[in-house]
Every structure is written in structure tokens, then in C-alpha cells.
Amino acid sequence: MSKFEIQGPAKLTGEISVLGAKNSALKLIAATVLIKDKVVLENVPDILDINILIDILKKNGAEIVRTGHTLNIDTTNLTSADPDETLVEKFRGSIVLAGPYLARFGKINIPQPGGCAIGARPIDDHLNGFRQLGTDIVKNGCIYEYKREKNEGAQIEIRPSVTATENMIMTQVLAKGLTTINNVAREPQIADLANFLNQAGAKISGAGTSTITIEGVEELKGLTYKVMPDPFEACTFICLAAATNTQIKIKDCEPNHLYPFLDKLKEIGVDFEIGSDYVKINDASHLKAIDITTGVFPEFSTDMQAQTGVVLTQAQGTSHINETLFENRLGYLNELENMGAKIKMINAHEANIYGPTKLVGAQIKSLDLRAGATMILAGLIAEGETTIDHIEIIDRGYEKIEERLAQLGANIKRIS
Ligand code: EPZ
């Protein structure tokens, strides 16, 4: 197990680039299963989950070559063999192989996906959507066997699950006739997937709204596409600047994907500047407590909750957090308590944060992807040395995070 060793408080200056969005890139790579042609994907972060998905497809005949943040992909020779079970179980994103495989091969056998410890991570919304699309699904031990004879349009309704929405879209782009999917997720990554597939020749409309319409096409053509910037990386670095009151510039991001988080940041009292592809913090010396309730987009993102929670430990007054989506995504607050934060856990979904409190370095652990990055922020605010273990979880979503933060002046070392 590797760990990070951090000396705080950090005096940071300069600027940091936001990389491509993990939760978009994963789906665009899965979508290449639908395109028997050469695809060039740019701005793909070099992180664990992405590299596991690449391994899964390469093991079954796809040609994928990474050059820096660019992937050259050709799935022409991909076989219909089932994806490697042990790799599928390593991360939640693998669930989005089901749709493309059903569209291309009419079948797939895969286990329940893995992922963070943020909650049960059920897949009932996926199963329900696939069944409405005429898919037979049998659970055989821990393997789900999906089979679909016909590839036809349908009118279906799902719950606004992000990956379920992405699965339904990918299942139907090559179906005969018209498909309407109601009550879909509206996250920016859904539009990134629709833009990618439309550029390959698909006919998808309504991405970003609650209803998506797809006119099936015969085949998709190769393309070159740049993955959208990661809104959760951007949020992490903006919270770092706010929590340490340092004037760093977060660049190569998409500010339009950062609402309502930026509205909440203003409510906290952070003074910042927004450009076309950057956010620059000017002053965060007077922070005040606020209330946050997470929800499906366009509500406040659950993936921005933990980072904002750290900022609120430095804000004057009582903040209230209501994490409505996942039942185990407040655990990081216990770690912050070990560092001196004043917290009251109300229930599995709600907590109060009383600030401002001085944080002191401690030995802490990273519980899930976003909480792990949040621990780094806490270590950079705290007085003294903080060590964070289980940092492989952080590597799942943040490329070379310690090297990039060190460029801002952070004193952070990876101890293998
Ligand atoms: C995606 O997970 C992201 N993962 C998550 O990122 C992110 O936290 C989440 O969306 C919410 O934005 C990827 O895109 C790979 P959901 P997803 O389905 O699609 C419930 C990660 O893993 N639900 O939108 O699994 C679920 O329990 C994290 O990389 C069902 O009940 O999330 C949750 O309460 C860091 N049944 C809510 O819906 C289902 O079949 C939203 O989950 C699916 C979900």
C-alpha cells in the first residue's frame, strides 16, 4: 500500500491544468465498440480505471495505443468473447460495456461492477432499462447473462442514473427505427457521449434534457474527438485554492460544467474570476457557512460534495450537508474530525460542519475517489505532517496528483 506524506500549511502559487474527464473518457472508449473503424481520442487521462478498460478491450482483440493523453483505437477485430471478469469487477465504469456489446454482438456476460465504497452501487436501473429494450437477463452466480435477439427502437423510461443513461444510448444508436428514453440523467458527460457518437454518424438529440431521442443508423464511422475537461478535478483544485486562500489559476477547464458549485462558492464568500477555460481565485479570506444538498444534475453534484466540505471547515458558522444520492459518502468527515474539524454526523446522509477550525496533520485514509482527493486538500491546509494511505483509490481518478500539486508549491511525497 502506498501513501502520501504532506507537510502543511501549503503556500501555493501558479496555475494547474485540468485533465480530461474520467467519467466521460470511460464511456467514449466503451462506445468505440460500436465503431468498426479507427478512432482517435484526445485528452484521455492516464489513470487506473481508464487503463483497466483499455486492457479489457485489448485482451479481446481491440488495438489501442496510448501516446501521452491520446488514444489510437481500432475495435474492428474485437471478438464477442466476454470481458475479463476480474478486470470488470475492479471499477464501476465497466458496467457501460453492456450497452455497446449488446448493440454489436447481441450478448454479454459480466459480473456486477466494482467501484468506490460510496454505497451499494446497485444496477437495477440498468437491468430495468435493458429489459424494456427487449433484453433477456439471467443472473448465474455473480454473472449477469444479457442476450438480445432484435436491435430495434423502443420507447422506454428509466431513473436518472448516469451510467444507465449512457448504457441505453449506446445500446440504441445502431437499432432499427426510433428510440425515446425518458427521465434520463442530464450530466455534461451525457452530452459529451452524444456529441462523440453524433460526430461518428449517430442521430441523437436531447442530451442534457430529460428526454433523449435516437434515430438508429446502419453504422458509425471513425473520428477524432477531444474528451471534455473533468469538472470534478476542476472543483477539487478550486476548493484547494479556496481552502488555502491562495490565488491559483485552474485552467483548461469548462466553467459552464461547474454550476451550481460556483454559485455555492460565491455564497461561501470566495472572490474568483471566470474565463472561457479557467477559474482564478482572488480572495478567500472571509468564508461563511452554507447549506449543501446534493442531487442528480443540475442539482449540486455528489462528486463535488467532499471537496466543498473541506472548505466549509474553514468557514465561519454552521454548515449543513445533505448527501441524498449515496449512503456512504460522508465518511471523510470522520477523517477530518481526526484532524480537528468540528463535525456532527446527523445520519448516513446528513452532517453539520462547525467552523472555522484549525486542522492539524494526522494519519488518515482515503475512503473513496473524491474523499481521497479531499484528504489531500485537508493535509495541505493542516498544520504539520499528514499521511494518507490507500492512495491507489486516488490514482483511480487523478493522474500524477502529487507531481501536479508539487508544481504549485505543495510539499507532498508518495511513499511506496
Ligand atoms: C456515476 O456513477 C459516476 N461513475 C460516479 O462517479 C458518480 O458519483 C455518479 O455517476 C453520480 O454522479 C461513473 O460515471 C463511472 P448513478 P453511477 O447511477 O452511474 C442509484 C465513480 O464511480 N442507482 O447516477 O453509478 C445510486 O445508488 C464515481 O467513478 C440505483 O439505485 O451513479 C445512486 O444513489 C466517483 N440503481 C444514484 O442512483 C442503479 O442501477 C445515482 O447513481 C444505478 C444507480
Side-chain angles (χ1 to χ4, degrees):
M1 271 312 169
S2 306
K3 58 185 179 180
F4 282 138
E5 215 166 74
I6 301 170
Q7 304 301 333
K11 277 277 153 272
L12 307 175
T13 56
E15 51 188 42
I16 188 166
S17 267
V18 170
L19 300 180
K22 154 178 119 57
N23 288 350
S24 179
L26 281 172
K27 292 54 175 268
L28 302 190
I29 294 168
T32 62
V33 168
L34 302 164
I35 306 170
K36 297 177 188 170
D37 201 351
K38 293 190 183 330
V39 175
V40 178
L41 260 190
E42 296 167 342
N43 204 28
V44 179
D46 188 356
I47 53 179
L48 212 51
D49 281 12
I50 298 250
N51 294 333
I52 296 172
L53 182 59
I54 290 170
D55 288 348
I56 289 173
L57 294 176
K58 279 173 76 173
K59 273 185 92 162
N60 288 358
E63 285 152 47
I64 306 180
V65 176
R66 176 188 277 279
T67 315
H69 290 141
T70 297
L71 296 183
N72 281 280
I73 304 173
D74 188 340
T75 66
T76 305
N77 300 322
L78 181 73
T79 70
S80 63
D82 292 327
D84 181 305
E85 279 174 35
T86 45
L87 295 179
V88 165
E89 285 171 335
K90 285 182 184 293
F91 66 115
R92 172 74 180 180
S94 57
I95 185 71
V96 296
L97 284 169
Y101 267 66
L102 277 175
R104 178 163 172 174
F105 303 117
K107 67 176 180 67
I108 183 172
N109 301 321
I110 51 169
Q112 167 113 14
C116 287
I118 57 180
R121 311 305 295 273
I123 58 168
D124 51 326
D125 293 343
H126 295 254
L127 303 178
N128 170 17
F130 282 129
R131 287 188 172 114
Q132 290 181 64
L133 293 176
T135 311
D136 292 323
I137 304 170
V138 172
K139 193 164 188 292
N140 193 344
C142 70
I143 298 287
Y144 285 89
E145 297 173 352
Y146 302 76
K147 209 185 286 327
R148 188 185 183 211
E149 304 300 330
K150 298 192 295 299
N151 203 355
E152 288 171 351
Q155 324 304 319
I156 70 169
E157 168 135 357
I158 58 171
R159 284 195 319 175
S161 150
V162 173
T163 45
T165 301
E166 291 157 339
N167 251 335
M168 298 308 118
I169 292 171
M170 291 193 275
T171 310
Q172 292 305 100
V173 286
L174 297 173
K176 284 183 206 55
L178 196 67
T179 297
T180 306
I181 314 168
N182 288 306
N183 197 31
V184 295
R186 300 168 53 189
E187 272 74 0
Q189 70 210 57
I190 307 288
D192 212 30
L193 175 63
N195 295 339
F196 171 78
L197 288 168
N198 284 342
Q199 203 178 306
K203 292 191 175 118
I204 306 163
S205 50
T209 73
S210 295
T211 299
I212 283 183
T213 307
I214 301 170
E215 204 184 315
V217 294
E218 287 285 307
E219 66 171 357
L220 298 176
K221 300 304 264 173
L223 70 159
T224 296
Y225 191 84
K226 183 176 181 185
V227 178
M228 72 180 223
D230 194 320
F232 310 133
E233 260 215 352
C235 165
T236 303
F237 300 141
I238 291 168
C239 287
L240 171 63
T244 53
N245 188 18
T246 44
Q247 288 65 34
I248 59 178
K249 182 177 184 181
I250 295 86
K251 58 181 201 164
D252 301 326
C253 68
E254 174 46 81
N256 293 327
H257 293 165
L258 300 178
Y259 291 91
F261 163 71
L262 289 178
D263 292 333
K264 283 292 183 183
L265 202 66
K266 203 189 277 331
E267 197 185 325
I268 294 173
V270 179
D271 175 42
F272 54 90
E273 176 192 325
I274 300 176
S276 59
D277 65 349
Y278 73 86
V279 174
K280 185 179 175 313
I281 303 300
N282 294 324
D283 177 55
S285 51
H286 296 89
L287 304 181
K288 63 184 188 348
I290 63 166
D291 294 344
I292 289 176
T293 298
T294 64
V296 292
F297 194 88
E299 300 297 315
F300 191 94
S301 170
T302 171
D303 289 83
M304 299 184 182
Q305 181 260 117
Q307 302 92 313
T308 310
V310 173
V311 178
L312 295 175
T313 64
Q314 305 306 304
Q316 178 65 45
T318 301
S319 297
H320 179 78
I321 292 187
N322 184 3
E323 165 56 64
T324 65
L325 284 177
F326 293 105
E327 66 277 17
N328 192 12
R329 211 162 195 181
L330 293 179
Y332 73 96
L333 291 171
N334 297 323
E335 302 301 310
L336 292 180
E337 226 167 7
N338 297 339
M339 300 175 78
K342 293 255 173 312
I343 309 290
K344 181 179 172 211
M345 300 300 280
I346 299 164
N347 56 52
H349 290 271
E350 291 183 81
N352 284 345
I353 300 173
Y354 308 96
T357 52
K358 203 162 175 32
L359 299 186
V360 176
Q363 291 205 345
I364 50 180
K365 51 183 177 300
S366 40
L367 303 165
D368 72 71
L369 173 59
R370 304 299 165 200
T374 296
M375 293 301 111
I376 295 177
L377 304 193
L380 292 171
I381 307 171
E383 187 73 40
E385 180 171 290
T386 296
T387 54
I388 304 171
D389 59 21
H390 299 305
I391 59 173
E392 293 72 21
I393 295 179
I394 304 174
D395 291 334
R396 281 188 48 215
Y398 293 86
E399 179 185 325
K400 300 192 182 77
I401 187 71
E402 79 275 16
E403 293 173 27
R404 295 159 70 199
L405 292 176
Q407 278 165 13
L408 290 175
N411 183 338
I412 174 170
K413 290 191 195 62
R414 181 184 290 257
I415 315 285
S416 299

PDB file of all heavy atoms in Angstrom, residues 174-193:
ATOM      1  N   LEU A 174     -27.472   2.031 -32.991  1.00  0.00           N
ATOM      2  CA  LEU A 174     -27.457   1.204 -34.218  1.00  0.00           C
ATOM      3  C   LEU A 174     -28.757   0.413 -34.358  1.00  0.00           C
ATOM      4  O   LEU A 174     -28.864  -0.482 -35.194  1.00  0.00           O
ATOM      5  CB  LEU A 174     -26.268   0.237 -34.182  1.00  0.00           C
ATOM      6  CG  LEU A 174     -24.876   0.888 -34.163  1.00  0.00           C
ATOM      7  CD1 LEU A 174     -23.796  -0.170 -33.954  1.00  0.00           C
ATOM      8  CD2 LEU A 174     -24.613   1.669 -35.446  1.00  0.00           C
ATOM      9  N   ALA A 175     -29.769   0.728 -33.520  1.00  0.00           N
ATOM     10  CA  ALA A 175     -31.034  -0.037 -33.581  1.00  0.00           C
ATOM     11  C   ALA A 175     -31.871   0.432 -34.768  1.00  0.00           C
ATOM     12  O   ALA A 175     -31.750   1.580 -35.208  1.00  0.00           O
ATOM     13  CB  ALA A 175     -31.813   0.170 -32.288  1.00  0.00           C
ATOM     14  N   LYS A 176     -32.737  -0.480 -35.283  1.00  0.00           N
ATOM     15  CA  LYS A 176     -33.607  -0.082 -36.406  1.00  0.00           C
ATOM     16  C   LYS A 176     -34.743   0.790 -35.862  1.00  0.00           C
ATOM     17  O   LYS A 176     -35.408   0.407 -34.881  1.00  0.00           O
ATOM     18  CB  LYS A 176     -34.222  -1.343 -37.061  1.00  0.00           C
ATOM     19  CG  LYS A 176     -33.236  -2.108 -37.933  1.00  0.00           C
ATOM     20  CD  LYS A 176     -33.939  -3.299 -38.606  1.00  0.00           C
ATOM     21  CE  LYS A 176     -32.941  -4.401 -38.919  1.00  0.00           C
ATOM     22  NZ  LYS A 176     -32.190  -4.804 -37.686  1.00  0.00           N
ATOM     23  N   GLY A 177     -34.930   1.978 -36.467  1.00  0.00           N
ATOM     24  CA  GLY A 177     -36.092   2.787 -36.048  1.00  0.00           C
ATOM     25  C   GLY A 177     -35.757   3.781 -34.949  1.00  0.00           C
ATOM     26  O   GLY A 177     -34.602   4.042 -34.644  1.00  0.00           O
ATOM     27  N   LEU A 178     -36.853   4.306 -34.337  1.00  0.00           N
ATOM     28  CA  LEU A 178     -36.730   5.429 -33.395  1.00  0.00           C
ATOM     29  C   LEU A 178     -36.767   4.939 -31.943  1.00  0.00           C
ATOM     30  O   LEU A 178     -37.525   4.038 -31.607  1.00  0.00           O
ATOM     31  CB  LEU A 178     -37.919   6.392 -33.630  1.00  0.00           C
ATOM     32  CG  LEU A 178     -37.791   7.793 -33.041  1.00  0.00           C
ATOM     33  CD1 LEU A 178     -36.679   8.570 -33.751  1.00  0.00           C
ATOM     34  CD2 LEU A 178     -39.115   8.551 -33.179  1.00  0.00           C
ATOM     35  N   THR A 179     -35.922   5.529 -31.114  1.00  0.00           N
ATOM     36  CA  THR A 179     -35.922   5.230 -29.667  1.00  0.00           C
ATOM     37  C   THR A 179     -36.132   6.530 -28.896  1.00  0.00           C
ATOM     38  O   THR A 179     -35.547   7.553 -29.240  1.00  0.00           O
ATOM     39  CB  THR A 179     -34.583   4.606 -29.230  1.00  0.00           C
ATOM     40  OG1 THR A 179     -34.416   3.358 -29.899  1.00  0.00           O
ATOM     41  CG2 THR A 179     -34.548   4.372 -27.716  1.00  0.00           C
ATOM     42  N   THR A 180     -37.003   6.472 -27.879  1.00  0.00           N
ATOM     43  CA  THR A 180     -37.147   7.598 -26.951  1.00  0.00           C
ATOM     44  C   THR A 180     -36.838   7.083 -25.556  1.00  0.00           C
ATOM     45  O   THR A 180     -37.362   6.044 -25.150  1.00  0.00           O
ATOM     46  CB  THR A 180     -38.599   8.139 -26.971  1.00  0.00           C
ATOM     47  OG1 THR A 180     -38.938   8.431 -28.319  1.00  0.00           O
ATOM     48  CG2 THR A 180     -38.707   9.393 -26.122  1.00  0.00           C
ATOM     49  N   ILE A 181     -35.955   7.789 -24.867  1.00  0.00           N
ATOM     50  CA  ILE A 181     -35.605   7.390 -23.491  1.00  0.00           C
ATOM     51  C   ILE A 181     -36.024   8.549 -22.581  1.00  0.00           C
ATOM     52  O   ILE A 181     -35.525   9.677 -22.734  1.00  0.00           O
ATOM     53  CB  ILE A 181     -34.097   7.135 -23.321  1.00  0.00           C
ATOM     54  CG1 ILE A 181     -33.557   6.268 -24.482  1.00  0.00           C
ATOM     55  CG2 ILE A 181     -33.808   6.449 -21.983  1.00  0.00           C
ATOM     56  CD1 ILE A 181     -32.031   6.214 -24.550  1.00  0.00           C
ATOM     57  N   ASN A 182     -36.956   8.268 -21.670  1.00  0.00           N
ATOM     58  CA  ASN A 182     -37.472   9.325 -20.784  1.00  0.00           C
ATOM     59  C   ASN A 182     -36.822   9.273 -19.407  1.00  0.00           C
ATOM     60  O   ASN A 182     -36.404   8.207 -18.950  1.00  0.00           O
ATOM     61  CB  ASN A 182     -38.996   9.161 -20.628  1.00  0.00           C
ATOM     62  CG  ASN A 182     -39.721   9.561 -21.914  1.00  0.00           C
ATOM     63  OD1 ASN A 182     -39.527  10.667 -22.412  1.00  0.00           O
ATOM     64  ND2 ASN A 182     -40.484   8.650 -22.472  1.00  0.00           N
ATOM     65  N   ASN A 183     -36.742  10.485 -18.784  1.00  0.00           N
ATOM     66  CA  ASN A 183     -36.236  10.618 -17.413  1.00  0.00           C
ATOM     67  C   ASN A 183     -34.761  10.233 -17.296  1.00  0.00           C
ATOM     68  O   ASN A 183     -34.341   9.579 -16.349  1.00  0.00           O
ATOM     69  CB  ASN A 183     -37.082   9.764 -16.443  1.00  0.00           C
ATOM     70  CG  ASN A 183     -36.846  10.195 -15.000  1.00  0.00           C
ATOM     71  OD1 ASN A 183     -36.576  11.371 -14.740  1.00  0.00           O
ATOM     72  ND2 ASN A 183     -36.896   9.238 -14.082  1.00  0.00           N
ATOM     73  N   VAL A 184     -33.970  10.695 -18.280  1.00  0.00           N
ATOM     74  CA  VAL A 184     -32.538  10.345 -18.293  1.00  0.00           C
ATOM     75  C   VAL A 184     -31.735  11.317 -17.428  1.00  0.00           C
ATOM     76  O   VAL A 184     -32.207  12.391 -17.068  1.00  0.00           O
ATOM     77  CB  VAL A 184     -31.977  10.382 -19.730  1.00  0.00           C
ATOM     78  CG1 VAL A 184     -32.619   9.325 -20.608  1.00  0.00           C
ATOM     79  CG2 VAL A 184     -32.147  11.770 -20.335  1.00  0.00           C
ATOM     80  N   ALA A 185     -30.475  10.924 -17.119  1.00  0.00           N
ATOM     81  CA  ALA A 185     -29.555  11.824 -16.403  1.00  0.00           C
ATOM     82  C   ALA A 185     -29.159  12.946 -17.354  1.00  0.00           C
ATOM     83  O   ALA A 185     -29.204  12.776 -18.584  1.00  0.00           O
ATOM     84  CB  ALA A 185     -28.319  11.049 -15.955  1.00  0.00           C
ATOM     85  N   ARG A 186     -28.797  14.108 -16.781  1.00  0.00           N
ATOM     86  CA  ARG A 186     -28.531  15.288 -17.618  1.00  0.00           C
ATOM     87  C   ARG A 186     -27.102  15.818 -17.464  1.00  0.00           C
ATOM     88  O   ARG A 186     -26.798  16.922 -17.892  1.00  0.00           O
ATOM     89  CB  ARG A 186     -29.549  16.379 -17.268  1.00  0.00           C
ATOM     90  CG  ARG A 186     -31.001  15.940 -17.500  1.00  0.00           C
ATOM     91  CD  ARG A 186     -32.003  16.902 -16.891  1.00  0.00           C
ATOM     92  NE  ARG A 186     -31.772  18.259 -17.332  1.00  0.00           N
ATOM     93  CZ  ARG A 186     -32.403  19.316 -16.795  1.00  0.00           C
ATOM     94  NH1 ARG A 186     -33.245  19.151 -15.785  1.00  0.00           N
ATOM     95  NH2 ARG A 186     -32.164  20.524 -17.234  1.00  0.00           N
ATOM     96  N   GLU A 187     -26.239  15.041 -16.807  1.00  0.00           N
ATOM     97  CA  GLU A 187     -24.848  15.484 -16.573  1.00  0.00           C
ATOM     98  C   GLU A 187     -24.167  15.874 -17.883  1.00  0.00           C
ATOM     99  O   GLU A 187     -24.471  15.297 -18.945  1.00  0.00           O
ATOM    100  CB  GLU A 187     -24.049  14.356 -15.909  1.00  0.00           C
ATOM    101  CG  GLU A 187     -24.085  14.302 -14.401  1.00  0.00           C
ATOM    102  CD  GLU A 187     -25.419  13.790 -13.852  1.00  0.00           C
ATOM    103  OE1 GLU A 187     -26.325  13.482 -14.658  1.00  0.00           O
ATOM    104  OE2 GLU A 187     -25.562  13.702 -12.643  1.00  0.00           O
ATOM    105  N   PRO A 188     -23.179  16.809 -17.834  1.00  0.00           N
ATOM    106  CA  PRO A 188     -22.458  17.221 -19.060  1.00  0.00           C
ATOM    107  C   PRO A 188     -21.824  16.044 -19.806  1.00  0.00           C
ATOM    108  O   PRO A 188     -21.714  16.066 -21.023  1.00  0.00           O
ATOM    109  CB  PRO A 188     -21.388  18.182 -18.531  1.00  0.00           C
ATOM    110  CG  PRO A 188     -21.906  18.682 -17.239  1.00  0.00           C
ATOM    111  CD  PRO A 188     -22.741  17.587 -16.663  1.00  0.00           C
ATOM    112  N   GLN A 189     -21.450  14.997 -19.074  1.00  0.00           N
ATOM    113  CA  GLN A 189     -20.787  13.863 -19.759  1.00  0.00           C
ATOM    114  C   GLN A 189     -21.760  13.133 -20.679  1.00  0.00           C
ATOM    115  O   GLN A 189     -21.342  12.485 -21.636  1.00  0.00           O
ATOM    116  CB  GLN A 189     -20.188  12.899 -18.749  1.00  0.00           C
ATOM    117  CG  GLN A 189     -21.191  12.111 -17.948  1.00  0.00           C
ATOM    118  CD  GLN A 189     -20.664  11.758 -16.574  1.00  0.00           C
ATOM    119  OE1 GLN A 189     -20.287  12.628 -15.809  1.00  0.00           O
ATOM    120  NE2 GLN A 189     -20.668  10.480 -16.254  1.00  0.00           N
ATOM    121  N   ILE A 190     -23.072  13.245 -20.411  1.00  0.00           N
ATOM    122  CA  ILE A 190     -24.050  12.626 -21.318  1.00  0.00           C
ATOM    123  C   ILE A 190     -23.967  13.341 -22.675  1.00  0.00           C
ATOM    124  O   ILE A 190     -23.964  12.711 -23.732  1.00  0.00           O
ATOM    125  CB  ILE A 190     -25.479  12.760 -20.736  1.00  0.00           C
ATOM    126  CG1 ILE A 190     -25.563  12.236 -19.302  1.00  0.00           C
ATOM    127  CG2 ILE A 190     -26.494  12.078 -21.659  1.00  0.00           C
ATOM    128  CD1 ILE A 190     -25.482  10.763 -19.113  1.00  0.00           C
ATOM    129  N   ALA A 191     -23.877  14.662 -22.643  1.00  0.00           N
ATOM    130  CA  ALA A 191     -23.771  15.432 -23.895  1.00  0.00           C
ATOM    131  C   ALA A 191     -22.447  15.139 -24.595  1.00  0.00           C
ATOM    132  O   ALA A 191     -22.388  15.067 -25.829  1.00  0.00           O
ATOM    133  CB  ALA A 191     -23.887  16.927 -23.596  1.00  0.00           C
ATOM    134  N   ASP A 192     -21.386  14.895 -23.796  1.00  0.00           N
ATOM    135  CA  ASP A 192     -20.083  14.585 -24.412  1.00  0.00           C
ATOM    136  C   ASP A 192     -20.193  13.275 -25.192  1.00  0.00           C
ATOM    137  O   ASP A 192     -19.718  13.160 -26.324  1.00  0.00           O
ATOM    138  CB  ASP A 192     -19.012  14.465 -23.312  1.00  0.00           C
ATOM    139  CG  ASP A 192     -17.635  14.916 -23.797  1.00  0.00           C
ATOM    140  OD1 ASP A 192     -17.585  15.805 -24.677  1.00  0.00           O
ATOM    141  OD2 ASP A 192     -16.630  14.368 -23.323  1.00  0.00           O
ATOM    142  N   LEU A 193     -20.871  12.290 -24.615  1.00  0.00           N
ATOM    143  CA  LEU A 193     -21.070  10.995 -25.284  1.00  0.00           C
ATOM    144  C   LEU A 193     -21.927  11.176 -26.537  1.00  0.00           C
ATOM    145  O   LEU A 193     -21.586  10.666 -27.613  1.00  0.00           O
ATOM    146  CB  LEU A 193     -21.739  10.001 -24.329  1.00  0.00           C
ATOM    147  CG  LEU A 193     -22.127   8.646 -24.899  1.00  0.00           C
ATOM    148  CD1 LEU A 193     -20.897   7.858 -25.371  1.00  0.00           C
ATOM    149  CD2 LEU A 193     -22.905   7.814 -23.865  1.00  0.00           C
TER     150      LEU A 193
END
